Amino acid sequence: VVEPSELEVTGAASSGTSTAAEMSKLLLMFVNKGTYNGKRILKPETVAEMFKRSMVSAIDFTDLPPISDATGFYYGLGVGSYDYAGHQIIEKGGALAGVRTIIVLVPDKNAGIVVLANLNLTAFPEAVRAYFLNQLLGIEPEADQKQILALNENLKKMMALPPAPKNPGKFTAPLQSLVGIYENDYYGRCEIVPDGKGIKIQFGPVKYSATLNHWNNGAFMMQFPGATQMPSVTTFMIGEDGNAESFESESLGVFTRVKEKK
């Protein structure tokens, strides 16, 4: 069971939730330089501006073939691009809990493809992308498939939950001692609140929540929703009064408790 994503807190480069059929219409509009079904949607210069390269990105482990150091990778307005076999490739990938998508355009070939998968931790869309591009550009279609499969297995291992401690130490303080408001110079304030018999942590004005499950001694595992969100060990420091003075998250840093004014 995959919990639905909280869409009001996603969309760093804006975002869309749609179907394969509707996304195909979007691709047709782009390959036709802003026109769909005889109707002008965007000006050609607007499409060109979207695809223009404005930022260089380093290649990392999530960039699967054919993307490599040889192709480079660049960002435009909400899309990425790279050079492959003498052609500029326009691409936009996306993922939510239980969903992974990719759209690919080869403008000078007037061709494109959209792939939607009902699983997040999978390289299936990238595998289809690679096959499509290789076939379109006269390269052996299967050329990158074994490498993509191997990288996909590595990604699954990276995202797997760490093994539970064999003999975890107990957290002897009451969970109520952790409840309160905490602050970090970079991330601002968050609040730890009761959640049934347990606790959870809420960030920001929309109260974006992560679970806090006991792990070992004073350490809890902080887990945000989403298939690609890795858990973060979060350790609480207890003061002389028995309440938490601060906590440190491996991914977010140190948060200090905001003490009530007397």
Side-chain angles (χ1 to χ4, degrees):
V1 175
V2 177
E3 293 295 326
S5 296
E6 296 185 37
L7 296 179
E8 68 271 20
V9 294
T10 63
S14 190
S15 59
T17 305
S18 190
T19 65
E22 293 299 316
M23 292 298 288
S24 297
K25 295 176 182 178
L26 179 69
L27 290 189
L28 286 169
M29 184 272 292
F30 279 134
V31 298
N32 286 305
K33 296 180 174 57
T35 299
Y36 175 72
N37 214 15
K39 182 179 179 181
R40 172 65 61 190
I41 308 298
L42 296 174
K43 297 177 181 178
E45 52 266 34
T46 301
V47 176
E49 185 68 22
M50 291 174 65
F51 294 169
K52 188 183 297 182
R53 293 169 174 176
S54 58
M55 185 187 301
V56 179
S57 174
I59 307 298
D60 64 23
F61 70 95
T62 62
D63 294 314
L64 303 183
I67 299 173
S68 69
D69 289 334
T71 66
F73 195 87
Y74 313 86
Y75 284 106
L77 297 179
V79 297
S81 69
Y82 50 95
D83 297 310
Y84 182 55
H87 301 269
Q88 183 188 22
I89 312 300
I90 303 297
E91 180 171 304
K92 177 62 179 176
L96 295 171
V99 181
R100 187 172 182 83
T101 67
I102 197 167
I103 61 172
V104 182
L105 289 165
V106 188
D108 64 352
K109 286 284 189 179
N110 204 37
I113 190 171
V114 56
V115 186
L116 282 69
N118 62 345
L119 187 65
N120 188 309
L121 289 180
T122 175
F124 174 74
E126 286 84 353
V128 174
R129 177 268 310 272
Y131 193 100
F132 166 77
L133 286 176
N134 287 338
Q135 187 177 56
L136 179 70
L137 303 178
I139 301 169
E140 167 55 42
E142 297 276 357
D144 299 308
Q145 297 302 306
K146 287 184 179 179
Q147 185 181 358
I148 292 173
L149 180 61
L151 291 170
N152 186 52
E153 292 303 312
N154 289 338
L155 284 173
K156 287 182 180 179
K157 291 177 182 178
M158 288 184 65
M159 297 297 179
L161 291 172
K166 291 182 179 180
N167 298 297
K170 293 182 179 180
F171 182 66
T172 56
L175 291 179
Q176 184 63 34
S177 67
L178 309 181
V179 171
I181 298 172
Y182 297 78
E183 193 169 49
N184 174 280
D185 288 342
Y186 185 79
Y187 292 103
R189 290 191 173 190
C190 65
E191 185 176 9
I192 295 178
V193 298
D195 184 33
K197 293 183 179 181
I199 55 172
K200 65 180 179 180
I201 188 166
Q202 299 176 331
F203 287 84
V206 297
K207 300 186 182 300
Y208 188 52
S209 298
T211 57
L212 281 170
N213 294 313
H214 181 248
W215 187 248
N216 189 23
N217 296 320
F220 287 68
M221 199 64 75
M222 183 190 297
Q223 178 70 63
F224 286 96
T228 59
Q229 298 296 319
M230 299 177 67
S232 174
V233 175
T234 303
T235 306
F236 287 87
M237 278 58 77
I238 307 298
E240 293 181 355
D241 62 357
N243 292 319
E245 290 187 340
S246 64
F247 69 82
E248 182 173 3
S249 161
E250 286 184 337
S251 59
L252 302 177
V254 176
F255 285 73
T256 303
R257 190 185 196 112
V258 178
K259 294 185 178 181
E260 298 179 4
K261 294 182 180 181
K262 296 183 179 180

